[in-house]
Amino acid sequence: MPFVRTPMNILDDTIQRMPLLRNLSAEFRAARQEGGEAWARAQAKMTVGLAFMGTAASLYLTGNITGNGPKNKAARDALMATGWRPNSIKVGGAYVSYARFEPFASMFGTITDSLDLYTAAMSNPDTADGSALDNALQAVWAAGFGAMKNLASKTYLSGAGELLNAAGSDDASKMERFVTRYLTSYVPSVLSSARRIYDPTTNEVRGIVDAMKDKIPGLSSTLPPKYSWITGQPIQYMGGRASGFSPAVWETDKNDETLTELARLATGLNAPTGRVNGMKLSAQQLSDYQRLHGTVTINGKTMLEALHNVVKNKDKSPTPVADMDAVDDGLADPMLMRFNSVI
């Protein structure tokens, strides 16, 4: 069964290059027992793996490599608007994806996800002030969980993870997501690639039928596009049309101070959601809502243009009176208050 064997061989090849996890590989254990040339090859794989993981750690510390990024939708949307992309190396002013270059993508991803988790833990007041032992345990937890998180995110393993997650949950939408992923996996990859070449815009998808349409050229364009609530522009796949045929795709860093501030403050922003007044929006309604949110003008300015003015005049812009107490008590960021007054 090549469709099972191929991804499992990729996984096994990746594990052989990773400390501790390498002992889970039957091939690695066999090489150690055999000794000689087989053991030398296994050791060489491990050395190469350590070199790549060390490189990833160095790049992470200089801000030149990314992992999967935040799960929070508002935070992710704001970060993506800056030009940031997940699982990418920053080269000059562009993010170049490494996601399709296995087994090295898994090694890079494991390190970046682990460091993301550790950084988050150290910036959390509940976990940041522990003893040296506590910090060491946090590092071990982040390394282990980061490795599992990265491997579980792979296409060839995510289905099994979603099934286990759905089976133990009362949330019917989780099982629907699993069934949708399972059924759409039968759409030939050549069609999915052709769809991205023909139409590189991402779409709002609701249910199995929409998910099938989204993978087929011609039918995908009948779905409502996804828009950025920040800019009101359609959201494209990383690399645009090139994502349909090229293993190496990239996105330019916009290097915009306002967008960077939005990303920093994202979790506290009054970002639009898929519900209005308690009512869930349809795919078309959400598409229109996000587009209008970024393009409607008030006093001749779009939301982003108004936010540009706030940043440009940050030393002069007054904090809304209703929020002054929170700012004075150190409970809120003044720029967050100003941004929310515009949004």
Side-chain angles (χ1 to χ4, degrees), residues 22-320:
R22 62 182 179 169
N23 292 302
L24 299 175
S25 168
E27 185 177 332
F28 177 83
R29 295 195 302 271
R32 182 168 54 191
Q33 188 171 359
E34 182 181 337
E37 186 179 338
W39 179 235
R41 279 199 303 270
Q43 291 290 77
K45 284 183 178 180
M46 185 65 204
T47 302
V48 171
L50 285 171
F52 271 88
M53 293 172 83
T55 300
S58 177
L59 288 171
Y60 183 92
L61 294 174
T62 56
N64 288 315
I65 193 169
T66 66
N68 280 315
K71 280 191 171 182
N72 179 280
K73 186 179 184 306
R76 195 175 186 84
D77 287 349
L79 202 53
M80 295 281 279
T82 68
W84 175 96
R85 290 298 181 267
N87 302 315
S88 301
I89 295 174
K90 193 171 184 184
V91 181
Y95 287 92
V96 182
S97 175
Y98 59 76
R100 297 183 184 181
F101 295 94
E102 292 289 5
F104 306 110
S106 291
M107 288 181 261
F108 282 166
T110 294
I111 291 297
T112 53
D113 286 345
S114 299
L115 290 172
D116 274 347
L117 289 167
Y118 183 73
T119 301
M122 290 299 97
S123 60
N124 185 334
D126 296 330
T127 55
D129 296 327
S131 63
L133 176 60
D134 289 336
N135 291 342
L137 290 174
Q138 286 284 358
V140 172
W141 167 83
F145 196 75
M148 290 187 290
K149 177 183 175 185
N150 181 262
L151 292 175
S153 71
K154 301 302 177 185
T155 305
Y156 45 83
L157 289 179
S158 58
E162 282 186 359
L163 175 59
L164 292 172
N165 192 22
S169 172
D170 295 329
D171 185 353
S173 65
K174 290 185 178 180
M175 183 57 73
E176 182 184 357
R177 281 197 296 272
F178 166 73
V179 173
T180 299
R181 178 186 284 272
Y182 178 73
L183 292 177
T184 54
S185 69
Y186 285 95
V187 177
S189 59
V190 66
L191 280 181
S192 298
S193 297
R195 175 265 196 256
R196 293 192 181 199
I197 296 171
Y198 173 75
D199 175 21
T201 302
T202 60
N203 294 320
E204 297 289 350
V205 173
R206 296 289 186 277
I208 296 170
V209 174
D210 279 3
M212 299 289 279
K213 286 181 178 179
D214 194 43
K215 287 181 170 285
I216 300 173
L219 293 181
S220 65
S221 57
T222 65
L223 299 171
K226 276 187 181 178
Y227 289 93
S228 166
W229 66 269
I230 297 169
T231 64
Q233 299 302 309
I235 299 173
Q236 293 196 340
Y237 289 102
M238 183 176 182
R241 298 185 192 280
S243 65
F245 61 86
S246 175
V249 292
W250 58 88
E251 196 74 34
T252 304
D253 184 358
K254 293 183 172 57
N255 197 27
D256 184 290
E257 186 180 1
T258 303
L259 293 175
T260 301
E261 276 293 277
L262 273 168
R264 181 180 72 83
L265 302 168
T267 54
L269 294 174
N270 295 329
T273 66
R275 290 181 178 273
V276 174
N277 296 327
M279 298 293 290
K280 186 175 181 180
L281 300 178
S282 68
Q284 186 62 61
Q285 288 170 334
L286 181 58
S287 176
D288 292 339
Y289 183 31
Q290 305 271 47
R291 175 176 56 82
L292 291 171
H293 197 282
T295 56
V296 164
T297 60
I298 298 176
N299 297 326
K301 296 184 183 296
T302 64
M303 181 195 73
L304 188 56
E305 288 170 342
L307 292 176
H308 277 312
N309 278 353
V310 171
V311 172
K312 183 179 178 181
N313 301 303
K314 57 187 173 184
D315 296 328
K316 303 174 186 176
S317 300
T319 301

Side-chain angles (χ1 to χ4, degrees), residues 319-330:
T319 301
V321 175
D323 300 313
M324 282 304 296
D325 289 341
V327 173
D328 291 341
D329 293 338

